[in-house]
Amino acid sequence: MRPILSMIGSAQHQLAKWLIGILEPVRELYGTECVRDSFTFASEMRNLNLPDSEVFLSSFDISSLFTNVPLQETIDICANALYGGKLAPPSMPRKVFVELLQAATCSVEFSFNDVIYIQIDGISMGSPLGPILANIFVGFYEVELLSQRVSVKPLLYRRYVDDTFVIFRNEIDCDQFLIHLNSLHPALLFTIEKERNNSLSFLDVLVEKHDTNKFETSIFRKPTFTGQYLRWNSFSPRRRKINLIGTLVHRALMICSGNKLNSELDNIRKILLDNGYPEHVINRGIERKVTHFNAEKSTEPTERTTKDVYIHLPWIGPISTRFEKQLISAVNKCYDTVKTNVIFTTTQLLPATRKDVLPALQQSNVVYEFKCHCDCGYVGRTSKRLQERINQHVPRFIRTRSVKSSPLTHPLKIDAEQSKAINSAIGKHLLDNPACAKNYRDDRFRILGKGRSHFHLCALESTFIKIHQPRLCQQKEFVYHLKIVH
């Protein structure tokens, strides 16, 4: 299975984003054959001149690249490039850099079906470090292969993460090169797609070759493409719909060859008409975008005299458009150097559901409350998972068996954890009150707050003890009374 997770808000997210800037020189070192986007790829193919009279087009795809990237080996590749090569090393020692990369990759925790997992190898899809580490790992062996004196070398080799576009002299060279690719590393398994009818797709670009060894490019859409875009009668700003027309036309202008452009513009017209767009609006939007694209831009740098200011407003219909005009007019009267940009936002009709939410008992760095059957309470804090802390509070024989109304007897064998539980304030209370022990459940624990640091956690605990005044926290009264600022 491929773990696809969101790291936003996790402890490793900001660290991973910061490490991307440090790893960028390594990516450039091993990314000489990479393409930035489909626009640059299409431009390169249109201007490509190959000496051979006949060529063969092919593309290679790496199966499940992200989850198969060996983390420790990739970390070593990055460290060797930064600290043992031509690149300028970071200000931190190599050992610290390796530990930070390991913390942002090998220590990522996530939940699935109420079970906590740790990502020990491979890269989770959704991690900020995923694309750059995958690029570095593949690029390292890619440079090694292309620099070797192999019997078969491609005429053109371009890669975008796990997709590769390659041109050979003939199909035999293509098959032999695939064997070399699959021998690079056990984690890299390449599959191949060959040209059909002198054409082959790469990303969203369809490349067609001609007898003159010239290449034409056009927009490629998968068979599953439905043609559904933002409909004209949808409840959204008119400006957003007009911008959709400009976006589709700009993509066609950047990718399509000259003799493919008109057919693509006709295709865009048909798609937008099917989405309810008026024909005159479509034609005006296409004409405006084409005119602006072909206009000669001044090469002399112009000094900006205004500052862009962005304001987010809710979209509630035409009244939002009228308010936007009034707001811009008022700002222009007061501030000559400000350019106001209004961005409309819409709320979801149905609340979004959060998948695989971390269960309460598995959360850490929390302040918790225990509410007993007899209304006695306890407030505490823990940097561990709450379930581990509960195990330290409540003896196992109370959690695992039903307790009769008769006084409880201690088990014959008591380990260190059970001894700590028996001596805790909650454990003593349950042992002294069989009725409370009989009615014990884990859901009598609840989370009151989460702490950002040890100091914040202590301050939260002190505050909640002061507010709730739990009877079972008498031993903490003097210590935490000094920490409350009146």
Side-chain angles (χ1 to χ4, degrees), residues 135-158:
N135 255 323
I136 291 173
F137 173 69
V138 178
F140 174 79
Y141 286 98
E142 182 179 84
V143 171
E144 185 178 286
L145 173 66
L146 297 178
S147 62
Q148 294 175 354
R149 294 184 178 180
V150 292
S151 57
V152 177
K153 282 197 174 184
L155 300 175
L156 179 75
Y157 184 98
R158 293 293 180 265

Side-chain angles (χ1 to χ4, degrees), residues 357-364 366 385-387 445-447:
V357 179
L358 190 65
L361 296 182
Q362 298 296 335
Q363 296 186 28
S364 57
V366 297
R385 295 192 180 98
L386 180 57
Q387 183 64 68
F445 285 86
R446 70 185 182 101
I447 294 176

Side-chain angles (χ1 to χ4, degrees), residues 202-267:
F202 180 68
L203 303 178
D204 59 342
V205 181
L206 181 65
V207 180
E208 300 179 44
K209 68 176 183 179
H210 295 276
D211 296 336
T212 58
N213 242 5
K214 294 291 184 179
F215 299 92
E216 292 183 347
T217 57
S218 58
I219 301 292
F220 171 76
R221 295 180 176 88
K222 294 183 178 181
T224 55
F225 175 71
T226 61
Q228 294 182 356
Y229 287 107
L230 180 67
R231 296 192 63 83
W232 180 258
N233 59 358
S234 62
F235 187 74
S236 60
R238 177 187 174 94
R239 181 174 57 200
R240 188 174 299 175
K241 304 166 188 175
I242 299 299
N243 289 343
L244 171 63
I245 302 175
T247 300
L248 295 177
V249 175
H250 178 78
R251 177 186 176 210
L253 292 169
M254 293 292 292
I255 291 180
C256 293
S257 301
N259 57 346
K260 298 286 185 179
L261 181 60
N262 289 334
S263 62
E264 176 59 28
L265 294 180
D266 292 339
N267 194 17

